[in-house]
Each structure stands twice: as structure tokens, then as C-alpha cells.
Amino acid sequence: MSKLFVVGTGPGDLALVAPKAMHAIKASSDLVAYGLYLDLLGEICDGKNHHDLPLGEEIGRARLALDLAASGKTTALISSGDIGIYAMATLVFELLDRQLSGEEQHPEWLGVEIEVVPGISAMQAGASRVGALLGHDFCTVSLSDLLTPWETIIKRVDAAGQGDFVISFYNPVSKKRDWQLNAARDVLLKYRPASTPVLIGRQLTREDERITITTLGQLDGKDVDMFTMVSVGNSESRHIVNGQKEWVYTPRGYQKKL
């Protein structure tokens, strides 16, 4: 049977690529990805057929991966982080759904065996860099309104604020979107203190990684770019300092048992 691996390769550090993801890539003859993701993987991609489509061509990547697999080539569709979180896996299944409903004319896709291989997400990598920020209930929200109306996004931010979730913002800022993060910050300030710790993680686990710990009151979109993830603690999250080392954690409620 034709095979398509849908693979998440983690935040960037090769040591954080899961063994199962490595196996899937090694087993594939053809790799479909944004070129940077293949560059980060290095030698493991040598000897493979590379199909590098630029940012903005996500639908094309998913179609190509299905076509290659349906033609009999063992194929890996690759994204950084977890490919099921704001990434390519959903497009593969959306296209299959459209085929089943008659909106696509690619019956050969339905013969492809699909295996989704998860990866470590940016929010997990960021939380690990500063301690245990995701120690209690949390959620994620993408601030990109390219595919989701802003009214829906800010409604979700408000609900997360009311629920006192730790919240990780993906796609917080881009060249064309420079105001949404500050708008989300202002919503959260209605529900939690300005002193709430915030993690700003840029290029997480990569050579030029930069970690900043700030507060919700000081959070400003001008300090963030499209390579950055922002995680905001809940009302109980703690920022502690031990000499030159800083940690952020969110208590789970063990205080009563200590």
C-alpha cells in the first residue's frame, strides 16, 4: 500500500526529534516541506528527493505529498514542532474529507496509508527552557487572522482569560500584523495581574535561541516577531530567581500537601 508519513520534527534541535520521526524520514524516498525544516534536519535528508515549497504554499505541499504517496513513493510530509498543531496534518485530512464528499477528484488518495508522527511543540520547548510554565491547565491560540476571523480569536482569548488558563500564543506578530498581541494582552489584563510572568521564546532550541522572561504588563508586540512564541502564565504562575538563574512555574495545587 502507498505510504505517507505526516511528521513533526520538533522545535529545531536534532536531539529533540523523536526516534519514530527519524525512522519515518529514513524510510521515505521523498520529503515534502518548507526548505528550512529540511535544512534543520541536516544529513538525515541526504539521498532523498526534496520537494521544497515556500511559505504560503501549504495546500500545494499537502496535495503534492498525497500525489507522491499515491504514485507509490514512500513520502514524508514534514513540519517543525508537532505537525498536528497549527501545521500540515489538518490539511491532509481536509483534502481527504473533500475527496470523500466529491469536492476533489483524486480517488487514488484514498488508497494511501497515512501515519501521523507527533513532535515536541514550541510551547513545550519554551516551557522546558524556563521550568514548568505549563504545570496546570493551559491552552493555545493562534493570533493569525489569515484563516480565522479576529472576532473569533479575541473571543477565545477572552474565554481563556476568564478561565485563568496559561495561554501560549502562536503566530503572535508578523510584518503585516503588528497589533494583535497587544490587543490580546489588554484582554488578559482584565483577568490577571500585570505582574503575571510571560515567556518570550525566539527560535526555540535553535542556535540563535533567545529567551526573555517579562511580565504581562510589560509585554509589547514590538519585542516579538514571526519566529517567536509567547506564553502567558495564569494568575498563580510564579517567577523565581536563584542567583543568575530564573525559573517560571505554574503550581498545580500541591501547596496544601507540602
Side-chain angles (χ1 to χ4, degrees), residues 2 63 66-71 96 99 105-113:
S2 304
R63 289 182 181 278
L66 284 165
D67 286 341
L68 289 167
S71 73
L96 290 176
Q99 172 58 37
Q105 300 300 315
H106 296 278
E108 67 277 9
W109 287 352
L110 301 180
V112 175
E113 178 186 354

Side-chain angles (χ1 to χ4, degrees), residues 146-224:
L146 294 176
L147 300 174
T148 305
W150 175 248
E151 293 77 14
T152 300
I153 294 170
I154 203 65
K155 179 180 179 181
R156 291 171 178 170
V157 174
D158 190 87
Q162 290 186 57
D164 201 25
F165 289 93
V166 176
I167 180 168
S168 293
F169 291 119
Y170 282 69
N171 307 309
V173 169
S174 72
K175 292 180 179 179
K176 296 181 179 180
R177 296 183 299 100
D178 59 0
W179 57 270
Q180 284 92 336
L181 180 60
N182 287 356
R185 172 204 64 200
D186 292 344
V187 168
L188 292 181
L189 281 169
K190 296 190 301 182
Y191 301 107
R192 60 194 69 175
S195 59
T196 301
V198 174
L199 160 68
I200 300 176
R202 186 178 190 278
Q203 297 282 40
L204 286 161
T205 80
R206 303 176 188 178
E207 289 185 0
D208 52 348
E209 176 187 82
R210 186 170 72 243
I211 299 290
T212 303
I213 299 173
T214 185
T215 64
L216 185 59
Q218 294 177 322
L219 178 62
D220 194 322
K222 67 179 178 56
D223 301 321
V224 174

Side-chain angles (χ1 to χ4, degrees), residues 195-198 213-215 236-241 245-249:
S195 59
T196 301
V198 174
I213 299 173
T214 185
T215 64
E236 295 186 355
S237 296
R238 299 271 296 158
H239 177 202
I240 58 176
V241 180
K245 184 61 182 176
E246 299 179 76
W247 301 100
V248 179
Y249 75 98

Side-chain angles (χ1 to χ4, degrees), residues 44-168:
I44 190 177
C45 297
D46 290 350
K48 311 289 185 182
N49 297 316
H50 291 197
H51 304 272
D52 172 7
L53 277 71
L55 291 176
E57 295 293 331
E58 287 76 21
I59 296 174
R61 261 181 264 148
R63 289 182 181 278
L64 177 58
L66 284 165
D67 286 341
L68 289 167
S71 73
K73 297 178 179 178
T74 300
T75 303
L77 175 62
I78 296 170
S79 284
S80 65
D82 185 318
I83 198 164
I85 300 177
Y86 303 122
M88 294 296 300
T90 184
L91 262 175
V92 170
F93 294 105
E94 187 169 350
L95 288 171
L96 290 176
D97 192 7
R98 287 171 58 85
Q99 172 58 37
L100 288 166
S101 66
E103 297 174 85
E104 297 280 343
Q105 300 300 315
H106 296 278
E108 67 277 9
W109 287 352
L110 301 180
V112 175
E113 178 186 354
I114 297 174
E115 181 176 348
V116 180
V117 182
I120 294 173
S121 68
M123 65 178 173
Q124 292 171 294
S128 74
R129 282 295 196 248
V130 297
L133 181 57
L134 304 180
H136 210 326
D137 296 336
F138 63 89
C139 66
T140 67
V141 174
S142 170
L143 292 183
S144 173
D145 58 359
L146 294 176
L147 300 174
T148 305
W150 175 248
E151 293 77 14
T152 300
I153 294 170
I154 203 65
K155 179 180 179 181
R156 291 171 178 170
V157 174
D158 190 87
Q162 290 186 57
D164 201 25
F165 289 93
V166 176
I167 180 168
S168 293

